[in-house]
Amino acid sequence: MSVFRKLASVVVGLSMFGAPSLAKDSAEEHQVLWDTLERKGVEVLLNDTDLCDGVAAGLYSPSHNVLIVCQDRRLPLTTKEVEWTPNDYDTLRHEAHHVLQDCLDGLDNDTSVLFFEGRKMTEFVENSLTQKQIELIIKQYGEIGADDEVIRMELEAFAVAQTVSPLTIADSIDEICRV
């Protein structure tokens, strides 16, 4: 199983926390985020037939600048867009934050860095996610062999998706990501 598929498998399990997202779920705001990503050179795909196999919620590949959202209600063997769920929007915000992490070190490479550091990052995550969510993320990513840095990146992305609006993420991408 590829690293991307392993990470995507974990994301789907973690995306079903059941806790309501504090970030807004309006279609218009998420379309602004989608358009911002594309304007910055990120290829945004929906329901990729190879990676959206019923396990993955989505992923971002920094080495290819490709973001994929696998919709909850997708139809098998098609990339056709279906009605968006709150979890689909959450996945877009989560993966878009990974784009922002990538931009902090330049979109022209395959490395990413944390947006927050040290105590600020810890406080942000602890104020955005429940202790149970944090423990589940650490456990599930640890089980697939993710190192501490990847786990911190995921914690940050889950926290952002939970609490930050798509317009704020889009504005941050506009400000930080250079084309």
Side-chain angles (χ1 to χ4, degrees):
M1 183 180 280
S2 75
V3 172
F4 285 134
R5 191 167 298 274
K6 283 182 185 178
L7 289 175
S9 297
V10 171
V11 170
V12 76
L14 296 172
S15 67
M16 303 297 175
F17 282 136
S21 172
L22 300 175
K24 299 205 182 304
D25 288 329
S26 88
E28 296 79 18
E29 291 180 357
H30 285 86
Q31 186 63 54
V32 169
L33 176 56
W34 183 292
D35 294 344
T36 300
L37 290 162
E38 288 186 329
R39 191 174 60 254
K40 292 298 182 171
V42 175
E43 184 178 7
V44 185
L45 304 174
L46 195 60
N47 300 326
D48 179 272
T49 55
D50 291 328
L51 293 171
C52 297
D53 55 5
V55 177
L59 66 90
Y60 172 65
S61 169
S63 58
H64 298 100
N65 295 334
V66 174
L67 184 153
I68 300 170
V69 174
C70 302
Q71 291 184 286
D72 291 340
R73 298 177 183 149
R74 67 191 164 273
L75 303 171
L77 305 174
T78 179
T79 60
K80 183 179 191 267
E81 181 175 11
V82 296
E83 184 179 346
W84 283 69
T85 67
N87 185 58
D88 296 337
Y89 290 131
D90 185 80
T91 299
L92 179 59
R93 291 188 307 274
H94 175 102
E95 300 305 338
H97 185 69
H98 285 311
V99 172
L100 188 57
Q101 291 170 329
D102 186 22
C103 287
L104 290 169
D105 199 35
L107 270 175
D108 58 348
N109 59 53
D110 62 356
T111 60
S112 300
V113 296
L114 289 166
F115 190 78
F116 298 108
E117 293 185 26
R119 187 71 197 143
K120 188 173 183 180
M121 194 279 218
T122 302
E123 289 173 1
F124 175 68
V125 168
E126 289 175 350
N127 289 327
S128 302
L129 303 173
T130 67
Q131 188 60 37
K132 184 177 179 179
Q133 290 171 323
I134 293 168
E135 290 169 3
L136 184 60
I137 293 166
I138 293 169
K139 177 181 181 282
Q140 290 194 331
Y141 278 91
E143 286 175 355
I144 63 164
D147 63 23
D148 288 347
E149 186 66 13
V150 168
I151 292 171
R152 285 191 297 275
M153 300 279 245
E154 291 300 329
L155 285 166
E156 185 178 84
F158 276 104
V160 165
Q162 189 78 7
T163 59
V164 180
S165 78
L167 294 179
T168 300
I169 298 168
D171 287 345
S172 296
I173 289 170
D174 257 340
E175 183 177 321
I176 294 171
C177 296
R178 303 290 176 226
V179 184

